[in-house]
Amino acid sequence: MTARPTTEVCPVGPLPDGLDPDRTVPVRSITLPDGRTYWSVADHALARRVLSDPRFSREAAVAPGTEKLMTVNPSADSIISMDGARHTRIRRLIAGAFTERRVAEFRPAVERFSTELLDRLADQGPPADLVAHYSSRLSLSVLCHVLGVPLEDEPEFRSLVPVLFQLDGDETEGRRKAYLLAQYMNRLVTRKRRHPGRDLLTTLVEAGDDGDRLSSRELVTLSLALLMAGYDTTGDQITLAVLAVLLDPQRRQAVTTRPDEVPELVEDLLRHTPSTPLSFTRVATEDVELGDVLVARGESVVVFAMGANRSPGSGPGPAPRHLTFGYGPHRCVGAPLARLQLVSALRGIGERLPGLTLAEDPENLPWKPVGVTRGLSRMRVTW
């Protein structure tokens, strides 16, 4: 059994105002600096209820005229933003593409990418930035492979994907790149229809149920949703997982000497130091009693997953019960792929760079600005 170290060795970094994973209130009202308000839910049982109760709507949260809480928001026709029958239909059609068995087919490629990047890092010599030279590159390499992006297209693809997470900069240039990315994905979908492969996008193109098929538009928006959910978040999660391992001797020992325990360690790290500390916003479609408060119709609700993960009911058990990948109808379909990358990354580092250590003060690490995801913009390491 993997030792479960104290959570204090996992730096928290910046979070939205009023949120602290170690000082949580089950349901509390948060007022943002500009006056907007929302309900934060940090109790595990109540969080699961919000994530599964249809009265807390994703569609209402992205509807025109609804006050938006987050800087980055999926489009209204994204699977991340759907409710009810529309959402159920898409999930039914794509279910076969994201099974544990299907994702396991990508394991050799994921492990190869990890090995190549770590070998390149070792050849380059210390010190190095793990974010730039490993974490972000691994997650994007995996997405290119999984979606079947041709090798000759990877430079273009890599230059466009970051626009999905752009929080500032030239708005016109951002819109231009977003358009180019959507156009590229449309061309890729067309290519997969004509020349099927063994990639996940081909599986989605061919997915069907009683004659029902995903349209080209649905395939493009679904691919963009996969990129939004699987690039920055996974790269950040790899970095945060490595950071927690480097700061805790018990975790480090597990990674370097007991690789069979790494999958369980990954679940522990997902619980305590998630790259996605918050859920996407939901809006109450009617008055709902939630714990000791009444959430009025039209009010916004956000699950503080990082806090809920540490509340009663989220601890060790026979199955992972953290909420880092969500819960209910919108539970992350890409969770098996994210887990595969995390396990491959930690095992690869344990095998190839067992002496890896931080090359900067953990108290002064450069965190990304507060946003949808939580992560480091740089993490210098040595070995």
Side-chain angles (χ1 to χ4, degrees):
M1 180 66 69
T2 302
R4 297 186 180 274
T6 59
T7 61
E8 284 74 11
V9 297
C10 298
V12 172
L15 290 170
D17 291 343
L19 300 181
D20 184 334
D22 295 316
R23 296 182 180 85
T24 58
V25 175
V27 184
R28 64 175 297 192
S29 178
I30 302 287
T31 301
L32 299 176
D34 61 7
R36 291 174 298 163
T37 63
Y38 70 95
W39 292 101
S40 165
V41 181
D43 173 81
H44 191 269
L46 294 178
R48 283 165 54 120
R49 182 179 165 196
V50 168
L51 296 173
S52 58
D53 190 327
R55 295 176 296 177
F56 295 104
S57 169
R58 279 290 301 137
E59 283 189 1
V62 298
T66 302
E67 196 172 59
K68 306 300 188 292
L69 295 178
M70 298 183 177
T71 307
V72 177
N73 292 282
S75 66
D77 58 356
S78 167
I79 187 175
I80 301 173
S81 306
M82 294 178 180
D83 289 336
R86 286 201 312 149
H87 180 259
T88 300
R89 170 182 169 266
I90 300 293
R91 294 285 293 217
R92 184 183 70 249
L93 288 173
I94 69 175
F98 295 94
T99 63
E100 297 276 357
R101 182 176 179 179
R102 179 71 177 93
V103 169
E105 295 178 16
F106 296 118
R107 178 175 290 111
V110 173
E111 292 177 345
R112 184 179 75 251
F113 293 142
S114 176
T115 298
E116 290 173 352
L117 288 169
L118 289 172
D119 286 348
R120 201 175 305 161
L121 199 66
D123 290 342
Q124 170 187 314
D129 177 6
L130 197 78
V131 174
H133 296 287
Y134 182 70
S135 304
S136 63
R137 290 190 181 185
L138 178 59
S139 64
L140 192 52
S141 294
V142 169
L143 280 172
C144 286
H145 178 77
V146 165
L147 291 174
V149 175
L151 188 63
E152 63 270 19
D153 291 356
E154 284 196 18
E156 176 187 5
F157 188 72
R158 289 174 182 271
S159 72
L160 295 175
V161 170
V163 74
L164 294 173
F165 310 93
Q166 184 173 303
L167 299 178
D168 50 25
D170 188 326
E171 188 174 334
T172 301
E173 177 65 7
R175 284 199 299 268
R176 186 186 73 85
K177 286 190 173 182
Y179 173 79
L180 291 175
L181 179 59
Q183 288 295 99
Y184 175 80
M185 293 310 303
N186 190 57
R187 294 196 303 273
L188 188 61
V189 166
T190 300
R191 188 181 308 177
K192 298 302 176 183
R193 290 193 191 279
R194 295 172 179 170
H195 307 288
R198 285 291 302 154
D199 51 84
L200 188 143
L201 188 53
T202 295
T203 302
L204 295 175
V205 167
E206 296 175 344
D209 182 46
D210 291 333
D212 190 11
R213 290 283 192 276
L214 293 168
S215 68
S216 292
R217 179 181 176 83
E218 288 172 331
L219 286 163
V220 170
T221 56
L222 182 59
S223 298
L224 294 175
L226 291 174
L227 289 170
M228 177 173 277
Y231 171 43
D232 233 25
T233 52
T234 304
D236 286 338
Q237 189 65 68
I238 291 169
T239 302
L240 292 173
V242 174
L243 174 62
V245 166
L246 297 185
L247 293 178
D248 187 276
Q250 292 178 317
R251 287 180 171 130
R252 174 190 285 276
Q253 187 175 39
V255 166
T256 56
T257 65
R258 301 190 300 277
D260 57 311
E261 294 183 3
V262 168
E264 184 182 355
L265 175 61
V266 162
E267 296 307 318
D268 181 56
L269 295 169
L270 285 167
R271 174 179 291 114
H272 288 136
T273 183
S275 65
T276 49
L278 306 172
S279 73
F280 282 112
T281 310
R282 285 159 172 77
V283 169
T285 58
E286 60 181 78
D287 293 354
V288 183
E289 288 188 6
L290 196 61
D292 295 329
V293 308
L294 178 69
V295 178
R297 178 183 178 183
E299 291 185 328
S300 297
V301 182
V302 173
V303 168
F304 181 28
M306 191 174 183
N309 284 350
R310 303 184 184 193
S311 73
S314 63
R321 292 190 292 167
H322 59 74
L323 301 177
T324 299
F325 292 126
Y327 180 78
H330 280 278
R331 179 172 171 78
C332 178
V333 294
L337 185 61
R339 285 188 169 102
L340 172 59
Q341 292 178 72
L342 286 161
V343 170
S344 298
L346 292 183
R347 282 178 171 167
I349 287 172
E351 178 182 347
R352 280 178 158 68
L353 294 175
L356 196 73
T357 58
L358 273 179
E360 54 188 319
D361 184 355
E363 297 298 322
N364 294 311
L365 289 168
W367 291 86
K368 290 182 176 180
V370 175
V372 178
T373 61
R374 168 179 166 266
L376 297 171
S377 59
R378 183 198 71 234
M379 189 171 84
R380 292 197 183 99
V381 292
T382 188
W383 56 92

